[in-house]
Amino acid sequence: MERVKVGDKEFTISISASHIQQRVADVAAQINQDFKGERPLFLAVLNGSFVFAADLLRHITLPCEISFVRLASYQGTSSTGKVQKLIGLTESLKGRTVIIVEDIIDSGLTMKELLAMVQAEAPKQVRIASLLVKPDNLKVDLDIPYCCFKIPNDFIVGYGLDYDGEGRNLPDIYTVVPDSL
Ligand code: 5GP
Ligand code: MG
């Protein structure tokens, strides 16, 4: 589908499912190489990262674990910059190699807060894997070694990302058509 309607807005395709799959496999291969001999704990941030995390994990050949956490900070089509607390963390992170799995880093404020909370648990090391990054909108300094796509500062949906709760099921990634905003 070239164009889709999600809620009251029109979206046009920007990254195809096959391109996503190819980049996810590339990033997983990089992680497999960088963490040889380690047993990483992937920390997937719900809801947005559930599709990316599921695909990424199937390409990981290291012994590993995954845990799902939640940290909501976003409503509608612009980032609020407000961050709530971390829920769902049951594993001890002490001494662990932690790879945070995010759907998208926009201002980076959410990730900065999350990193601080994860660091407070005394892990051995923490790395960030994000499906998408909007470099032009980053407001904080973040090292993002594993990123599938750098995208412009437009609102996107699909492949786990929603617009007001809908659109997560789309296999491709779509960008909002500006005049539908
Ligand atoms: P940040 O704190 O980096 O500004 O915001 C990160 C969060 O904002 C993401 O986890 C995601 O929930 C949401 N977000 C940012 N940009 C987009 C976007 O283009 N589309 C969707 N669906 N969510 C976005
Ligand atoms: Mg997210």
Side-chain angles (χ1 to χ4, degrees):
M1 273 184 298
E2 281 299 308
R3 264 175 111 97
V4 290
K5 189 149 195 213
V6 181
D8 57 354
K9 301 201 190 312
E10 292 277 337
F11 290 83
T12 180
I13 195 159
S14 56
I15 310 173
S16 70
S18 61
H19 194 193
I20 298 170
Q21 293 306 323
Q22 182 198 320
R23 281 297 300 146
V24 171
D26 290 348
V27 165
Q30 211 185 323
I31 292 173
N32 288 331
Q33 191 165 356
D34 293 351
F35 295 95
K36 270 191 191 129
E38 299 272 347
R39 192 169 64 85
L41 170 62
F42 290 86
L43 221 53
V45 187
L46 292 174
N47 292 326
S49 78
F50 80 106
V51 179
F52 173 43
D55 282 346
L56 184 77
L57 259 281
R58 280 178 285 185
H59 290 287
I60 298 297
T61 51
L62 306 162
C64 64
E65 290 174 67
I66 184 163
S67 188
F68 295 88
V69 294
R70 184 188 282 267
L71 190 64
S73 73
Y74 202 80
Q75 276 156 1
T77 56
S78 69
S79 186
T80 61
K82 279 183 230 133
V83 161
Q84 291 158 26
K85 58 181 270 200
L86 184 65
I87 6 178
L89 185 62
T90 48
E91 287 78 6
S92 166
L93 304 185
K94 197 167 191 310
R96 298 293 308 262
T97 290
V98 176
I99 302 176
I100 298 175
V101 181
E102 252 294 21
D103 52 355
I104 185 164
I105 297 176
D106 184 357
S107 67
L109 294 170
T110 309
M111 183 54 77
K112 199 83 184 174
E113 293 259 352
L114 179 56
L115 258 183
M117 286 184 254
V118 169
Q119 295 284 13
E121 304 289 316
K124 176 181 168 190
Q125 52 184 338
V126 186
R127 296 289 181 275
I128 299 170
S130 187
L131 174 70
L132 302 149
V133 179
K134 292 181 180 172
D136 296 341
N137 209 28
L138 269 179
K139 292 185 175 63
V140 290
D141 189 30
L142 278 177
D143 181 28
I144 310 164
Y146 308 106
C147 162
C148 298
F149 300 98
K150 289 180 179 165
I151 60 165
N153 197 8
D154 301 317
F155 187 78
I156 55 110
V157 291
Y159 195 72
L161 289 106
D162 73 310
Y163 167 54
D164 278 353
E166 288 182 32
R168 297 191 195 276
N169 51 314
L170 296 165
D172 310 274
I173 290 174
Y174 293 82
T175 303
V176 75
V177 176
D179 57 5
S180 77
L181 273 172

